[in-house]
Amino acid sequence: MVKPFASSADLTEKTETLEVLAEGVYALTAEGDPNVGAIEGEDFLVCFEARATPVMARRWLERLREHTDKPVRYLVLSHYHAVRVLGASAFDADAIVAHTETRRLVAERGAQDWESEFRRMPRLFTGHESIPGLTWPTLTFTDRLHIELGGDRGALELRWLGRGHTAGDLVAWLPRDRVAFAGDLVETGSAVYTGDAYHHAWLRTLDEVAGLGATTLVGGRGEVARGRDAVDEAIGLTRRFLTTLIGCVAAVQRSGGTIREAYQAADEALSPVYGDMPIYTHVLPFDVERAWEELAGEEHPEIWTAARDREVWDALTATT
């Protein structure tokens, strides 16, 4: 027998909480579902992440409109995963902003990722029939992009700090308020998805995230980290997940063991801390597969398809 596939059995709606992080700075968290955010400019909005469908995006925008009616000028996508981007059309943004690598990944694997994530996490794709097609960035950058917010609001800095969760993850940084939106580079009280990751590079990128000196951090999932200690703990929790995963998979690989043995070793090591956190059971088989692949010398992640998802899942999670 096998475990229910990925998050296909997770049908319980989560409570969404809108938080005001600073004047004109907002985050919506949802008990481990993907987080989204927004930053007010003088006469416009910058929204961060798009959710999986226009229907889901409009739910977020309805909450945001309780605080501001400014139009969305920029929609910033932290990376390319379908669950983060396919709701973009609901924002009617003047520009859809992403890293150049994110645009490349949409072209390379966007369609396959859409089908994969829809099957893995169907609840997050409520209103999937409203998706008009792949989301294509219209404004890209390679290092940094500054968005002047106007008045005395300062600037929003979009930074690529290195490979990590994908090749193109970016961080939105508000120096004035010391608020960072880190996307899935950092998770707060959640397990970590690494199926498209560059594990060792990610550890170096986390050093760069820590170096920002944020006192408020919105990760990809989980609660907002408030205060420097909480920010450091979120980064540390993400780092420990990665180092434990890499260590377990590398040890089994060096000993001539199998990938199934690597999965079992990683589960034994990670589950005491992360086992009850959101998406842990879902992500672990895909994480181990990518770690095994990378440690075997495959620099770039293989494309996940719906068929490959089930093959990996069944091979690693089947019980006798």
Side-chain angles (χ1 to χ4, degrees), residues 49-55 57-58 61 72 75 77 82 84-93 95-96 130-137:
E49 309 288 39
R51 303 190 112 178
T53 71
V55 167
R58 283 191 284 271
L61 288 169
V72 180
L75 172 62
L77 306 177
R84 300 283 184 184
V85 306
L86 292 179
S89 63
F91 293 82
D92 195 25
I96 299 174
S130 66
I131 301 171
L134 292 174
T135 295
W136 291 96

Side-chain angles (χ1 to χ4, degrees), residues 53-55 114 118 125-133:
T53 71
V55 167
W114 179 350
F118 177 66
F125 284 81
T126 298
H128 60 88
E129 66 281 353
S130 66
I131 301 171

Side-chain angles (χ1 to χ4, degrees), residues 180-219:
F181 291 85
D184 282 321
L185 284 172
V186 180
E187 308 294 4
T188 308
S190 174
V192 182
Y193 178 64
T194 78
D196 293 297
Y198 298 80
H199 292 88
H200 291 97
W202 193 343
L203 295 172
R204 296 189 293 271
T205 299
L206 286 177
D207 291 338
E208 298 295 322
V209 175
L212 293 172
T215 55
T216 302
L217 184 143
V218 183

Side-chain angles (χ1 to χ4, degrees), residues 254-274:
R254 285 194 303 268
S255 71
T258 67
I259 189 171
R260 182 171 168 79
E261 290 170 337
Y263 170 77
Q264 293 167 339
D267 188 27
E268 182 177 349
L270 288 165
S271 61
V273 175
Y274 301 91

Side-chain angles (χ1 to χ4, degrees), residues 132-237:
L134 292 174
T135 295
W136 291 96
T138 61
L139 174 61
T140 61
F141 67 97
T142 58
D143 184 20
R144 295 190 185 189
L145 179 69
H146 281 66
I147 298 174
E148 293 295 333
L149 298 174
D152 62 354
R153 297 174 181 270
L156 174 67
E157 300 178 7
L158 304 181
R159 299 189 184 187
W160 183 77
L161 300 175
R163 289 174 173 174
H165 176 69
T166 71
D169 299 79
L170 62 84
V171 172
W173 169 235
L174 270 170
R176 182 196 66 175
D177 300 303
R178 309 206 70 76
V179 176
F181 291 85
D184 282 321
L185 284 172
V186 180
E187 308 294 4
T188 308
S190 174
V192 182
Y193 178 64
T194 78
D196 293 297
Y198 298 80
H199 292 88
H200 291 97
W202 193 343
L203 295 172
R204 296 189 293 271
T205 299
L206 286 177
D207 291 338
E208 298 295 322
V209 175
L212 293 172
T215 55
T216 302
L217 184 143
V218 183
R221 295 174 183 265
E223 298 178 354
V224 175
R226 294 177 179 267
R228 191 54 200 260
D229 288 347
V231 171
D232 289 345
E233 175 57 25
I235 294 170
L237 195 71

Side-chain angles (χ1 to χ4, degrees), residues 238-251:
T238 303
R239 182 186 301 279
R240 289 191 294 276
F241 188 101
L242 296 172
T243 55
T244 303
L245 172 70
I246 295 166
C248 290
V249 174

